[in-house]
Amino acid sequence: MTEVIRVVLADDQHLVRSAFAMLITATPHMEVVGEACHGGEAVELARTARADVVVMDIRMPRLDGIEATRRIASDEDLAGVKVLVLTTYDTDEHIIEALRAGASGFLVKDTRPQDLLDAIRTVAAGEALLSPGPTARLIERVLRHPPGTVPATGRPGALGELSPREREVLTLVARGLNNTEIADALVLSPLTAKTHVSRIMGKLGARDRAQLVVLAYESGLIVPGGPGGA
């Protein structure tokens, strides 16, 4: 039996929430378990509604989506909750802050309905929504002059603990490749690629693949615009 994905929608625009809610409610194996108009409410609903995914607008009153994401990601009781952030434009530099805070990916608000549903399924399954296109370009631009900080749960110093193969895998993760694409690139089985990614996350203390991408850039493993970069 397929489990139902429990979704919380956080956006200060009622019409946006309503449109997303109708779409999700009409989709098999998904349900909307709460709607929030500000970040504080989103954090509370993530807990009380036992959400799997929070679709989070970045710009909201009282508490913005970035701080709400940070609070969810840092709460051990909410370890299973994934955050998918929304933005008006794919050039919004706040997206990087959201990824640093613990978001599993991002979408622009004018995305196609099917893409939204696919994105919810992707992050609910524990994967990061990181395509080799817009996300990689955004990360390259924003991290060209990194602030010298890393995700709160990351351990950049542990990069030296990675084996040569793990560093290769991390480089491909940072380019936005999924496990199957990594397996093809390195002539591995998808299961072996997945195992490598899981071990890298453990060694670096990363919450998910999105944080691995940021760590790869901020540690200097990937140089924006250089070999292996976006």
Side-chain angles (χ1 to χ4, degrees), residues 2-13:
T2 303
E3 293 187 4
V4 174
I5 300 174
R6 299 169 62 82
V7 182
V8 164
L9 299 174
D11 195 298
D12 63 332
Q13 298 182 42

Side-chain angles (χ1 to χ4, degrees), residues 19-31:
F20 286 168
M22 286 190 293
L23 174 64
I24 293 169
T25 300
T27 302
H29 310 304
M30 284 189 194
E31 65 175 328

